[in-house]
Every structure is written in structure tokens, then in C-alpha cells.
Amino acid sequence: MIFSKMLKTIEPQTMSETNSQRAKSQIVLILWVWVCIGLIFTFAWVFAEKVVPNSIQPNPPETKIFAQGLANEGWSFTPVDPVHPQSSGISQAFLSGDRAINAANNYDPYLQKSPDLTGIVAYLGMFSDAGLQASAQAGEKVDPTFLNPRLVWIVSYQGIQEQSSGPPGSEHRVSNELNVVVDAFSGKILLEFVWTR
């Protein structure tokens, strides 16, 4: 009799503890499911940003003029259509123009905040230095970064005023554009240069 009374008094506590543990387990399970769903959406977004070739925006209309300006400076830039990269032999997924601009902004945050800035444009193309190719063929040791054409985004900060450097007495020019060259596959910053056009 005493044993059955003890069992009755113990049993309700065990039931409430069991219910409490079940409730905690359900809360943990629900939180875990939401975390998994969040991770899946995050990975899907990152994958979509990396794989989609650009925001389906073509190169700006002045791309050919831009390429000619680079040629005048000794660079080779062959525009690639971001909408139809296969027509230029590009089959590998590359960063969007927006991601390239973000990479350039992260590299030098001052640029996007410059009071002189009139616009930011991204150009997609194959970029190389013909002078390096000639030097390498002549047997000189050269930096291989732009020896062969590589797919890049050139992010152009228009209106940026920069004065060229040089020894005292040399001619100093003021540029009206700063360009950041971004590897189209990795997002790595390869080069920054200024010029006037």
C-alpha cells in the first residue's frame, strides 16, 4: 500500500518531466530545421550568383571605344558579350558584373564615396599585355599575370580625379578615370590604373 502511494506521487512528476523534455526536443528540432533551411537558401543564393553569367546585362555601348583606348596604352582588350559568352569561346561560369563591382568596391571603399565620381561601369573581356608577350619571347623574365589573355571585368570609376606621380620636374597629368581589373572567375583584384580619355 505504501509502495502504491509512493508510485502515484512519483508518477505525475515523471510525466511532467517527460512532457517538458518532449517540448524541449521539439523546439530544438524546429530550430535545427530552420537553420538547415536557412543554410540551403544561402548556398543556393551564393551558387546562383557565382554561376549565372552576369545579371544578363550586355557590355556598355562604349566598350569598343574603351578597348581602343586601352590599345593606345599598350594593352589588349577584346570585349566579351556577358549575355552570350559562348560566342567568344567562354564556357566556364564567371562572376556577374555586379559581383565584380562589389569586389572592386571592397578593395578600395573610397572610390564609391569619391565626390568626383560620375558613374561606375564594368566591361567584360579578354585582357593581356602585348609588350609582355614580346618580352617573354625575347627570353626576358616577365610577370605572367597578363602574359596571356585572361577573362576580366574592368570596373571603371568615371570622374575620379587622380594626379600622376613622378620625379620632380616631370610632367604630371590629372586623370579622370580610375579602373580596377578583376579576375572574372575568382574575383581577385589584379591591377588598378588611371587614365584620361
Side-chain angles (χ1 to χ4, degrees):
M1 184 70 103
I2 295 175
F3 178 73
S4 67
K5 282 186 180 181
M6 285 178 58
L7 185 62
K8 285 181 185 176
T9 57
I10 293 173
E11 192 174 312
Q13 291 174 348
T14 306
M15 290 294 280
S16 69
E17 286 176 8
T18 305
N19 287 340
S20 173
Q21 288 175 348
R22 272 192 207 155
K24 287 179 184 177
S25 296
Q26 289 173 346
I27 290 171
V28 168
L29 180 63
I30 290 170
L31 289 173
W32 187 82
V33 168
W34 279 109
V35 167
C36 289
I37 290 171
L39 287 173
I40 289 168
F41 278 110
T42 301
F43 285 125
W45 178 78
V46 167
F47 180 75
E49 271 293 310
K50 178 92 172 162
V51 171
V52 174
N54 201 1
S55 305
I56 313 300
Q57 298 170 0
N59 270 329
E62 70 275 5
T63 301
K64 289 183 180 177
I65 296 168
F66 183 78
Q68 184 58 50
L70 286 173
N72 294 342
E73 299 290 325
W75 294 96
S76 173
F77 182 75
T78 306
V80 171
D81 182 359
V83 180
H84 304 290
Q86 298 82 6
S87 63
S88 296
I90 308 297
S91 58
Q92 190 177 353
F94 54 87
L95 298 174
S96 69
D98 292 339
R99 293 278 306 266
I101 290 171
N102 285 340
N105 286 341
N106 289 336
Y107 172 71
D108 192 345
Y110 161 78
L111 294 175
Q112 63 185 328
K113 297 173 184 169
S114 170
D116 301 327
L117 183 67
T118 59
I120 303 174
V121 181
Y123 303 94
L124 181 67
M126 301 300 291
F127 189 61
S128 64
D129 184 341
L132 284 178
Q133 294 168 351
S135 297
Q137 289 171 352
E140 294 179 36
K141 186 174 180 172
V142 298
D143 179 359
T145 304
F146 297 112
L147 182 60
N148 297 309
R150 68 189 298 166
L151 187 65
V152 300
W153 283 100
I154 299 181
V155 179
S156 177
Y157 293 85
Q158 299 167 345
I160 299 283
Q161 303 291 313
E162 292 282 333
Q163 185 168 351
S164 64
S165 60
S170 65
E171 180 184 347
H172 294 275
R173 296 184 300 173
V174 177
S175 67
N176 64 358
E177 181 174 304
L178 189 139
N179 297 281
V180 178
V181 181
V182 181
D183 183 276
F185 298 113
S186 69
K188 179 181 175 184
I189 305 301
L190 304 172
L191 176 71
E192 185 179 270
F193 64 93
V194 295
W195 68 347
T196 302
R197 23 181 212 133

